[in-house]
Amino acid sequence: MDTLTAMRYQTAISSVLAYNVFLIKEILVDNSDLIERPFTVTLDHELDGVIFYIDGLSNNQLISQALLDPLIHKSLEQELLGGSRQQSIGTIEKILVTNPEVKIVKTVGEAIDNLLTGESIVVVEGLSKAFTMGTKGWEARMPSEPATELVVRGPRDSFTENMRTNTSLLRRRIKDPMLRLKTQKIGTRTKTAVTIAYLEDVANQRIVMDVQERLQSIKIDAVLESGYLEEMITDARHSPFVTMKTTERPDAAAAAILEGRVVIISDNTPFSLIVPSYFWDGFMASDDYYASYFLGTFSRIIRLIALVISLTLPSLYVLLVSFHQEMIPTQLALSMAAGRESVPFPVLVEVLLMEIAFELMREAGLRMPRPVGQAVSIVGSLIIGQAAVQAGLVSPIMVIIIAVTGIASFAIPSYATSFTIRFLRFPLLLASGMLGLLGFTAVLYVLTVHALSLQSFGEPYVAPIIPFRPSEQKDSLLRVPWWKMNTRPTFAKEKTRQPDPLDEQRKGQKSG
Amino acid sequence: MKRQVVSWLVLLIISLVTVTGCTDSIDINDLALVMAIGVDTKGTSHQVEVTAQIARPADAVGQTGAPTGGTGEPTWTAKAQGRSLFEAMRNLMRYASRRIYFAHNKVIVFSEAYARQGLADAIDFFSRNHELRMRTWVAITPKKASDLVATKTGMQVIPADSIEKMFRYSGFAAKAPRINLMQLEADLLSPTSDPVLPKVDLLQNGLAMSSTDKKKSETQVELAGAGIFERDRFRGWLTNRETQGLLWFISPPHSRVYVFGCPTSDQKVSVEIKKYHFTLMPKWLKNRLSYDVSLDDDAQLVEVGCRYSLFDPGNKKAVEQQVNQRMETEIRQVWRRMQKEKLDFLRLGDHLKAMYPWRTESHRDDFDQLLPSIQLTLHIHTQLRSAALLQQPMTPGNP
C-alpha cells in the first residue's frame, strides 16, 4: 500500500458525498466488480446518496429489498413537513438504522474493509459517516458428506468453506448459552476470520487464553487454510508429529468442545483444528462413539495393530532377513530364501524399491481425476504385485509385506497421523537395513523419546498413556459405554460430564 | 556460522547412508542353511569328517513364483575333513557357494566311532558357537553318520526336518530317549550323571517311494534305542527293553503299548498306557541309599482278540497284573544294566542332590561306585479303566 493510498485510507468520511465517492473509487480503482449505485431520496429536499457493494459478494436482492425499498417508499410516503435539510438527513439516518445489520463507520478505510467482506456501504450527502449494511451473500457450497472422515454410522454433514455455516453447525449441536464463538481477523491482506469455539464453563481458561495469545501473535499476510494457523501456533515446530487434530466433521468438533477442548475454525476452509489433542486422537474415529462400545474398543485395538504394522513391518522384515536369520522359523526362512533366490538386490534396496513404488502409486492416485485414478490403482497393483515378482525384481513375501503395510497405514483414521507414521517408517527402515535390530531399536527409542517430549498446548502429547491418567482410560484404548463415560479429560475445568447413575443409586440406597 | 553447521549436518547424514557398509549384514539367500550335521572319524588318524545337509531353498519350497533351482533336490549334502571339528566345518566352505549357517540346524548325529573318542570337544564347539541352538537334537549311530545325514527319509521335504519331527513325536513310539544339546551338556557337566543319547539307525526295509519301483526298497532313518556314555566316551548300547525302562526315568513317553496273549486262546490283547504318574524318591536309610520308584498308571484296552469283557473282574485283574509285570521287568532290567556298568545314566545323582543337597556332596566323585549297592523299591499300580468304545468283545455272528 503506497503512502497516498494509506493516507486516503485513513481519511475520515466527510460530509461531502462526492469527496467520499472519489476516495473510495480511487482506492479500489480498476475493479470491475465494484458496483456504485447512486440514488436520490426526495423528502423535503432532494438528497443524493451512493451505495457501494462488491458484485458477487453481496446479495443484490437483499440490497434492493432491505436498502433501496425502504428509502424509496419512505420518500413516497413522506409528507412534506417543511423541515430543514438537516432534518431530512436525520430521517434518512433513522431509516437506514432500522436495517437489522447496520454498522456506522467513520473512516474510509473502515468502510472499505467492510465493503470487501461483502457488506454494502451507504454514503449520503451531508452525513460525515458511512453505513455498512449486512448484505453478505455469495455462492457457497452446501454442507455435504465429509470427504476425508467417512463413517458407517453417524451424521453425514461436514463443515464448508463458509465460517458462518460452520459456526451454525456447531450451534445447532450445542444449544448451550456457555458456548463461545470468538472471532478475530488474521492475515494482513486476507483478513481471514478465525473463530475459536469453546464452552466457557468447561474449557480450561489457561488453554483458551493460550490459544488466543498464540493466534494474536501470528504475523502473516495471508491465511488461506487452517494449515497456516496450525504451523504458526503448533508446539512441535520441527516435528513430524501433528499436535493438533484436524476435522471436517461438525460432530467431531462438537464432541471436542464438549470435552473441554478448543476448536479453531478458519474461514474459507472446511478443516477446523482441535486443541489440545493427543497422539492417540489420530486413532479415534467418530464411529467409535456411535457404534456399540464393543465395536468401538475392538476397532481401536485393530487400529493400534495397524500403527505397529504400518510403522515397523518392513523394518522388521529387513532386519530379520539380513541380520537375524536365526529368529525366523525354519520353514519361513526357507520360503524367504526361496523367494529371494532370483532377486538381484539386497533386501534394503528391495524394500525401498517397493516402498517408493507404493508411495508413487498412492500419490498418483490421490490427485488423478477420478476415472483415471482407478486406472492407476488397477495398473499399479497388477504391475507392482504380480509382474515385479515374475520379473524377479522382488520376492513374493516382499509384496505381501508392502501390501499389508500399505493397508495398515490406510486403517489409521487421521490422514495426518497416517502420514506421520508412513514417513517415520523410512528412518526406521534405513536404520534396520544398516544396523539390524540395534539400529531399529535406536531409532525407535529416539522417536519415542521425541514423542514423549512433545506437548500440545501444555498437555503431554502421549497422554493419557504416558503420563498415565486413570480417569482418561475410559476413552483411550477402550471406549467405555456412555453411561460410564462420565468424566472429561483431566485438562477440562469442569471434569464431570454427569454423575454416574450407579453411584447415584448406591448413594440413594445408603441414605434410604 | 549457521551455514557451516548445516553443511556439517548434511555431510554427516550423507556419510551415514553411504559410508557405513551395513555391518555384518548378510541376506538370507546368501546363507547355506544347514539342516543336519553328521560327525565321523576319518581313517585311523584323529581326523574329523563333517557331513552337512544343506537346504536348497528354491527346491525345498514349492510354488514360489521365483525360478526354481532345477535339480528337484530339496537338499544338498556336503562333506569335509579337518583336524578339528571347526576346521572341518570351515573346509565345507570349499564346496559351498554360500556362507554355512548353523542357526537352523535340527539334528547332530555322531558316529559310534567318533563317540568312542569322546564327545567333550564336539559339545564344547557346539555350545561355544553362537549360531547353534541348544535345542538341537543329538543322536548317535552305529553306522556312518554321513550315511545317515545323506539319507532321504520321512515325509518332510527336507530329511532333517523328518528326523526332527521324528524326535518330537517319539513319545508315541517310545523307542528312544529325546536328548537335545542342552540336556546332553547338562548330563556331561553334572558331577554324577552320565550322558545317554538316542540311537538312530538305517532301516533297509522301508517301502519304495514310487509304486512302479516296488522291488527297490528305500532306506529310512529309524529310532532304535539308546547309547550310554561314561563321561563323554561311548560305552555301549542299551537293549530295546532297557531303553523302554530308561524312558520312564529320563524321557517320559506319551503313551506305551503292551501286548499279551489271551489267557485261553492264542489271540492277543493290546493295552495302551496314556495317563501315568512316575515318581523317583531317593532315601537314606541307615547310611544305605535306596530309591523308591512308584508308577501309577491308567490302562486302556485298545485291541482285544480274545473273548472276554471288562465286566469280568478276574480278567481285569489279570490284565493289570500282566502290565505291572512288564513294567517291572523293564525297569529292573535297566536298573541292573546301570549297576553293572556303574554309570548313572538314569540321573539318580541329580534326584539325590535335589532331595539331599548336602549329603550328596561327599559322594559327588564316587557316586558311580555307589550305584551297585543302591536298592530299588518298586511300586507299580496299574488300573484298567476303560475298554475304549467297545465294552464287549466283537464276536462274529453275535450282535
Side-chain angles (χ1 to χ4, degrees), chain B residues 88-341:
Chain B
M89 292 216 174
R90 269 297 136 94
N91 283 340
L92 273 177
M93 287 294 288
R94 289 193 306 198
Y95 311 88
S97 56
R98 299 179 178 189
R99 209 194 110 191
I100 305 282
Y101 189 67
F102 292 108
H104 285 283
N105 187 28
K106 306 278 179 212
V107 194
I108 300 168
V109 182
F110 295 107
S111 72
E112 188 187 329
Y114 183 82
R116 281 192 193 283
Q117 295 174 6
L119 290 182
D121 181 36
I123 295 168
D124 174 88
F125 170 75
F126 286 132
S127 28
R128 201 180 287 275
N129 188 318
H130 72 274
E131 276 181 8
L132 275 143
R133 306 280 109 174
M134 292 307 278
R135 293 178 67 170
T136 311
W137 299 116
V138 188
I140 179 170
T141 177
K143 303 266 172 34
K144 270 185 76 71
S146 62
D147 290 347
L148 239 102
V149 168
T151 302
K152 287 188 210 71
T153 183
M155 291 195 289
Q156 254 47 40
V157 179
I158 292 172
D161 206 24
S162 299
I163 301 178
E164 202 259 331
K165 296 245 156 58
M166 196 165 75
F167 272 112
R168 189 181 294 176
Y169 302 118
S170 68
F172 291 104
K175 292 292 181 200
R178 295 189 287 169
I179 305 287
N180 58 25
L181 206 49
M182 193 159 35
Q183 187 59 55
L184 175 63
E185 200 180 322
D187 285 344
L188 190 75
L189 295 179
S190 158
T192 52
S193 298
D194 290 290
V196 55
L197 283 183
K199 172 185 174 187
V200 285
D201 207 344
L202 287 173
L203 184 69
Q204 283 299 339
N205 57 358
L207 282 175
M209 289 240 185
S210 58
S211 51
T212 52
D213 198 15
K214 275 184 180 133
K215 278 176 193 157
K216 192 182 151 222
S217 76
E218 293 276 334
T219 336
Q220 301 279 310
V221 175
E222 65 159 354
L223 296 175
I228 50 173
F229 287 73
E230 180 183 3
R231 301 262 178 233
D232 68 319
R233 269 163 216 276
F234 178 74
R235 180 74 85 73
W237 303 106
L238 293 186
T239 65
N240 202 9
R241 261 298 148 70
E242 286 165 351
T243 309
Q244 285 177 336
L246 168 85
L247 291 183
W248 296 112
F249 288 86
I250 66 165
S251 187
H254 282 299
S255 79
R256 285 298 313 272
V257 176
Y258 294 99
V259 184
F260 323 104
C262 287
T264 49
S265 63
D266 54 354
Q267 300 291 317
K268 289 194 172 60
V269 184
S270 303
V271 168
E272 188 184 13
I273 315 289
K274 273 184 167 170
K275 264 169 69 180
Y276 61 85
H277 188 64
F278 179 90
T279 51
L280 180 63
M281 197 63 105
K283 272 189 185 143
W284 285 99
L285 277 174
K286 296 173 190 156
N287 271 348
R288 214 179 128 80
L289 185 58
S290 75
Y291 277 79
D292 275 12
V293 168
S294 79
L295 180 56
D296 286 321
D297 59 275
D298 289 354
Q300 192 181 29
L301 286 176
V302 285
E303 205 181 330
V304 183
C306 38
R307 298 186 181 170
Y308 69 54
S309 84
L310 262 190
F311 294 119
D312 182 350
N315 286 338
K316 185 165 172 283
K317 202 104 206 148
V319 171
E320 285 170 356
Q321 255 165 16
Q322 274 175 310
V323 174
N324 283 350
Q325 227 162 45
R326 283 288 180 85
M327 288 177 167
E328 187 166 349
T329 322
E330 277 170 20
I331 293 173
R332 291 244 179 248
Q333 277 193 7
V334 74
W335 192 270
R336 269 200 295 278
R337 180 72 187 269
M338 174 202 75
Q339 291 183 324
K340 194 183 129 211
E341 301 276 357

Side-chain angles (χ1 to χ4, degrees), chain A residues 314-326 328 336 340 345-349 351 429-437, chain B residues 22-31 99 101:
Chain A
S315 321
L316 288 179
Y317 177 72
V318 169
L319 70 86
L320 282 180
V321 170
S322 48
F323 288 93
H324 311 288
Q325 295 89 356
E326 72 277 5
I328 316 170
M336 285 175 170
R340 284 193 47 75
F345 310 114
V347 187
L348 181 61
V349 176
V351 174
L429 198 55
L430 288 177
S432 348
M434 286 187 286
L435 294 169
L437 188 59
Chain B
C22 303
T23 323
D24 282 347
S25 140
I26 179 161
D27 284 347
I28 196 164
N29 51 328
D30 294 331
L31 297 176
R99 209 194 110 191
Y101 189 67

Side-chain angles (χ1 to χ4, degrees), chain A residues 255 258-259 475 482 485-489 494-499:
Chain A
L258 290 167
E259 279 175 5
D475 188 13
W482 276 109
M485 192 86 83
N486 48 8
T487 53
R488 296 201 171 87
E494 175 62 54
K495 289 188 182 54
T496 317
R497 272 174 185 271
Q498 68 267 329

Side-chain angles (χ1 to χ4, degrees), chain A residues 27-38:
Chain A
I27 292 173
L28 299 174
V29 72
D30 288 346
N31 279 314
S32 59
D33 59 346
L34 176 70
I35 308 291
E36 174 197 6
R37 192 170 181 311

Side-chain angles (χ1 to χ4, degrees), chain A residues 291-303:
Chain A
S292 112
Y293 65 91
F294 290 106
L295 183 58
T297 307
F298 177 74
S299 323
R300 286 183 180 183
I301 294 169
I302 293 293
R303 286 184 214 126

